[in-house]
Amino acid sequence: HQKFSFASDIYAVGIILWEMNACELPYQYMPSSMVPAEVMKGNRPPVEALWPRNIADLMQACWSHDFMLRPTSSEVVAILSK
């Protein structure tokens, strides 16, 4: 049984932003059964240097291992509205 929270929703926003920039699925070369353990270890998809810096910074903030450091939904909206 998995628990979902606002923090996991914000993590998902970061993954969606990554998918939109990469035009591919994250962790696609890894068996899906391994993904949760890799995420818990802090492994994240690579961020390309050519992506917009504000979006790259936002997605990485959304993935913060410390969920208390992740932006709120209002902060995400504010950043994306700029």
Side-chain angles (χ1 to χ4, degrees):
H1 184 298
Q2 294 181 350
K3 290 184 178 182
F4 297 101
S5 65
F6 290 115
S8 64
D9 289 346
I10 295 299
Y11 177 89
V13 168
I15 291 295
I16 291 166
L17 290 170
W18 186 90
E19 290 173 343
M20 292 170 62
N21 281 276
C23 298
E24 63 182 73
L25 296 174
Y27 311 111
Q28 64 182 319
Y29 303 108
M30 181 184 303
S32 59
S33 61
M34 291 179 61
V35 172
E38 291 300 309
V39 169
M40 292 303 294
K41 286 186 214 173
N43 292 331
R44 304 294 191 257
V47 175
E48 301 293 331
L50 57 100
W51 294 349
R53 182 75 329 209
N54 63 329
I55 298 300
D57 290 345
L58 175 59
M59 72 176 73
Q60 290 176 310
C62 289
W63 300 336
S64 177
H65 194 70
D66 181 349
F67 71 91
M68 295 297 293
L69 298 177
R70 293 178 188 170
T72 65
S73 57
S74 297
E75 291 169 331
V76 169
V77 170
I79 292 167
L80 292 175
S81 296
K82 290 181 182 177

